[in-house]
Amino acid sequence: MTTGTTSDTGTASRTGPHRPRGLRDFYENPDVPVASGDARSLRQARMLAAALGPAAGEPGVVLDVGCGDGSAARVAAPLLAGHRVIGVDWSQDALRRARGHLPHVVRGELSDGGLPFADGSADAVLFSEVIEHLVDPDSALDELRRVLRPGGHLMLSTPNLAAWYNRGLLLAGVQPVFSEVSLRGIHGRPGKEVVGHLRLYTARALRAFVTASGFRVVRVAGAPFHGVPRPLRALDRLACAAPSAASILLLHARKA
């Protein structure tokens, strides 16, 4: 997700550098992991497809903000047939890679003048694992709200601070998964990959934050995380039934 926005892979472009130059350089590095896995992308795409319905007449405009290499859009494309999906990112390298998955890509940022779209021009925004990388998420949601039409759909995903295993890790005095204290290495928690997370949300906090930003939350669901060790993946999938404990939070909201 990189938009001048993870990974979704999600993208893992991070939109809008409300951040120092060093952090921008970090996200420009193609070796930085940007995905939480196709299972998350597929669940999110199904939620969006159900919300939009089949394309009839004028196709819906879906902005994949922080599209990264376009892999999330690749997973979603079969479910969004007939709708126009536009990838948006600030990284030229990410857009170059995204062109292999998306017919339309645009360079844009959430800051520094905003996205290159008119007010109310989008039917839906995919915001896949971007918000956890932003210094100023409030302004980011303001900008997403601006480009959405009245009643337009926001499909947001982000790692869950209160994932089932993080609850146990905190009780044991261990740094939670997804949280990071350095851009140079992992310290005090499981895992090996540094991905640049600046903010983490619980389901309750995410719902409250999005509501305060002028959206009506329709649903919060859960998705698994591909980084969970193989012996625990069945348990991780089961945890999705209780979104507040799932690895990844999927939120569907509409512009109020």
Side-chain angles (χ1 to χ4, degrees):
M1 310 174 252
T2 332
T3 18
T5 101
T6 86
S7 241
D8 253 1
T9 11
T11 28
S13 296
R14 294 59 174 170
T15 316
H18 304 266
R19 51 180 174 280
R21 177 67 185 174
L23 191 54
R24 178 190 279 266
D25 291 342
F26 174 82
Y27 289 134
E28 285 278 12
N29 181 354
D31 293 328
V32 172
V34 296
S36 64
D38 285 355
R40 192 275 300 155
S41 297
L42 184 58
R43 291 185 184 216
Q44 189 175 23
R46 285 172 175 163
M47 289 173 66
L48 178 56
L52 284 175
E58 189 73 16
V61 174
V62 179
L63 303 181
D64 184 358
V65 178
C67 66
D69 63 6
S71 54
R74 169 186 56 79
V75 174
L79 300 175
L80 300 175
H83 295 293
R84 187 182 186 209
V85 181
I86 302 172
V88 186
D89 209 292
W90 58 261
S91 168
Q92 294 286 12
D93 179 70
L95 292 176
R96 178 183 56 77
R97 289 178 285 149
R99 287 188 181 96
H101 302 305
L102 284 165
H104 309 287
V105 297
V106 175
R107 189 176 188 278
E109 302 190 11
L110 288 173
S111 60
D112 298 337
L115 298 172
F117 302 99
D119 295 0
S121 58
D123 296 281
V125 167
L126 269 173
F127 205 44
S128 302
E129 293 173 39
V130 175
I131 198 167
E132 63 271 19
H133 301 277
L134 300 181
V135 173
D136 186 1
D138 303 89
S139 295
L141 285 197
D142 288 345
E143 181 63 4
L144 297 183
R145 189 173 183 276
R146 180 189 68 80
V147 300
L148 280 169
R149 64 168 175 78
H153 303 277
L154 172 65
M155 291 290 173
L156 183 156
S157 64
T158 191
N160 183 8
L161 175 61
W164 59 276
Y165 39 81
N166 279 346
R167 301 181 188 204
L169 290 173
L170 278 170
L171 284 174
V174 177
Q175 187 81 10
V177 174
F178 305 125
S179 66
E180 296 177 341
V181 299
S182 170
L183 293 180
R184 298 178 181 177
I186 294 298
H187 304 289
R189 73 158 174 84
K192 299 178 180 178
E193 298 176 335
V194 179
V195 294
H197 289 171
L198 304 180
R199 299 183 181 274
L200 289 176
Y201 300 80
T202 64
R204 178 181 296 184
L206 185 65
R207 180 186 288 271
F209 172 56
V210 171
T211 299
S213 298
F215 292 88
R216 176 176 61 85
V217 175
V218 177
R219 179 188 177 196
V220 176
F225 175 49
H226 74 97
V228 169
R230 189 174 299 276
L232 299 177
R233 289 182 185 175
L235 183 57
D236 192 44
R237 289 192 296 271
L238 285 174
C240 294
S244 63
S247 285
I248 306 296
L249 298 172
L250 306 177
L251 180 141
H252 171 207
R254 303 193 71 169
K255 180 176 174 178

mmCIF file of all heavy atoms in Angstrom, residues 47 119 195 208:
data_model
loop_
_atom_site.group_PDB
_atom_site.id
_atom_site.type_symbol
_atom_site.label_atom_id
_atom_site.label_comp_id
_atom_site.label_asym_id
_atom_site.label_seq_id
_atom_site.Cartn_x
_atom_site.Cartn_y
_atom_site.Cartn_z
ATOM 1 N N MET A 47 -17.075 -8.249 0.464
ATOM 2 C CA MET A 47 -17.887 -7.239 1.153
ATOM 3 C C MET A 47 -18.201 -6.075 0.221
ATOM 4 O O MET A 47 -19.340 -5.575 0.165
ATOM 5 C CB MET A 47 -17.155 -6.739 2.395
ATOM 6 C CG MET A 47 -17.086 -7.747 3.529
ATOM 7 S SD MET A 47 -16.038 -7.193 4.921
ATOM 8 C CE MET A 47 -16.967 -5.776 5.525
ATOM 9 N N ASP A 119 -14.865 16.297 -5.906
ATOM 10 C CA ASP A 119 -15.745 15.976 -4.790
ATOM 11 C C ASP A 119 -16.849 15.023 -5.258
ATOM 12 O O ASP A 119 -17.458 15.233 -6.320
ATOM 13 C CB ASP A 119 -16.399 17.238 -4.236
ATOM 14 C CG ASP A 119 -15.410 18.206 -3.618
ATOM 15 O OD1 ASP A 119 -14.194 17.911 -3.618
ATOM 16 O OD2 ASP A 119 -15.849 19.274 -3.146
ATOM 17 N N VAL A 195 7.548 -3.380 8.764
ATOM 18 C CA VAL A 195 6.678 -2.849 7.709
ATOM 19 C C VAL A 195 6.256 -1.404 7.951
ATOM 20 O O VAL A 195 5.542 -0.820 7.146
ATOM 21 C CB VAL A 195 5.426 -3.733 7.521
ATOM 22 C CG1 VAL A 195 5.817 -5.095 6.995
ATOM 23 C CG2 VAL A 195 4.650 -3.870 8.814
ATOM 24 N N ALA A 208 -15.224 3.711 16.392
ATOM 25 C CA ALA A 208 -15.450 5.044 16.934
ATOM 26 C C ALA A 208 -14.753 6.109 16.093
ATOM 27 O O ALA A 208 -15.302 7.189 15.834
ATOM 28 C CB ALA A 208 -14.968 5.107 18.378
#
